[in-house]
């Protein structure tokens, strides 16, 4: 398979974020942090349901574009107001929200205006100056990948990826790398190749195949495809450096715990993620981003490469 072409300039990379109404304040903080800390202009696409577009339109500007989820889906998928946790489909069983979100990411990346995309969740915010050149090394794009390990919770997700791609699955308990994380970068050309693989194997449009999935991880699907199908032609280099300092627990942090969380930032961290499940309004931790509590050394390509 031929190469999809090199990644060269930061302008060839855009940021994409899926969000929705209840996460508006967190997304607003993310947009503000990109504006404050990005060392080069970067286009940011906020992907939200059509019903939330008016709310998010207040965040639109020269570098921030609002995209309706519905514009990325075929006409046979619809949201029904009476079905809160699923989307109606004429060609598959109802599609659960978390499956649909992954389909939307893949659909956006397959037709993205930029050849390279960094997916960033709306509960992430940048904490120091950063340069998108940090995602490029010798013409290749970073792909987050941890060393192989056995993670039982991921076994069904790997089984789904192997099945979709027509690959032979390893034995139970086989160690596997992990491609799931924050600040995940993909190449548009690779997603197009993934689309072609799925359509050739299943003989129908790829979104219809994904819509029929009972479980799915878009990051594992892309990672397995890149590593085991495309190989060197994918134009990626693997990196397990954590770029985001994360808080995943569903409990709020008190002031001392917030101090401790931000004190634990490492020099390689571009951003923080405070899970929306923690139930903290972003105003609680906004001062740590913008009032000088975080060191302001730019994180660029040379620093990432040294990690």
């Amino acid at each position: 398979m031929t190469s999809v072409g090199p990644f060269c300039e930061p302008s060839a990379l855009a940021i994409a974020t899926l969000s929705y109404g209840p996460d508006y304040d967190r997304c607003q903080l993310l947009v503000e942090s990109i504006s404050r800390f990005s060392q080069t202009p970067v286009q940011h696409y906020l992907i939200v349901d059509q019903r939330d577009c008016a709310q998010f339109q207040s965040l639109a500007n020269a570098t921030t574009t609002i995209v309706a989820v519905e514009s990325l889906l075929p006409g046979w998928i619809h949201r029904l107001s009476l079905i809160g946790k699923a989307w109606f489909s004429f060609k598959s069983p109802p599609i659960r929200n978390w499956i649909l979100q992954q389909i939307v990411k893949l659909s956006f990346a397959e037709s993205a205006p930029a050849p390279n995309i960094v997916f960033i969740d709306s509960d992430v915010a940048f904490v120091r100056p950063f340069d998108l050149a940090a995602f490029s090394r010798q013409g290749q794009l970073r792909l987050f990948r941890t060393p192989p390990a056995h993670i039982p919770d991921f076994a069904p997700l790997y089984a789904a990826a192997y099945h979709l791609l027509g690959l032979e699955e390893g034995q139970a308990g086989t160690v596997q790398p992990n491609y799931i994380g924050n600040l995940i970068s993909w190449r548009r050309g690779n997603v197009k190749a993934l689309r072609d693989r799925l359509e050739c194997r299943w003989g129908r449009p790829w979104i219809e195949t994904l819509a029929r999935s009972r479980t799915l991880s878009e990051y594992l699907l892309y990672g397995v495809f890149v590593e085991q199908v495309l190989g060197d032609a994918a134009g990626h280099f693997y990196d397990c450096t954590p770029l985001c300092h994360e808080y995943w627990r569903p409990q709020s942090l008190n002031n001392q715990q917030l101090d401790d969380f931000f004190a634990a930032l490492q020099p390689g961290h571009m951003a923080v993620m405070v899970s929306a499940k923690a139930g903290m309004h972003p105003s609680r931790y906004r001062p740590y981003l913008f009032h000088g509590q975080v060191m302001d050394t730019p994180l660029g390509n040379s620093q990432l490469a040294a990690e």
Side-chain angles (χ1 to χ4, degrees), residues 20 31 109 132 179:
Y20 75 131
V31 170
L132 288 180
Y179 308 94

Side-chain angles (χ1 to χ4, degrees), residues 287-307:
Y288 291 87
L289 277 62
F290 301 137
H291 292 176
Q293 284 90 334
V294 177
M295 59 183 290
D296 59 357
T297 302
L299 180 62
N301 191 43
S302 60
Q303 187 170 349
L304 178 60
E307 290 292 326

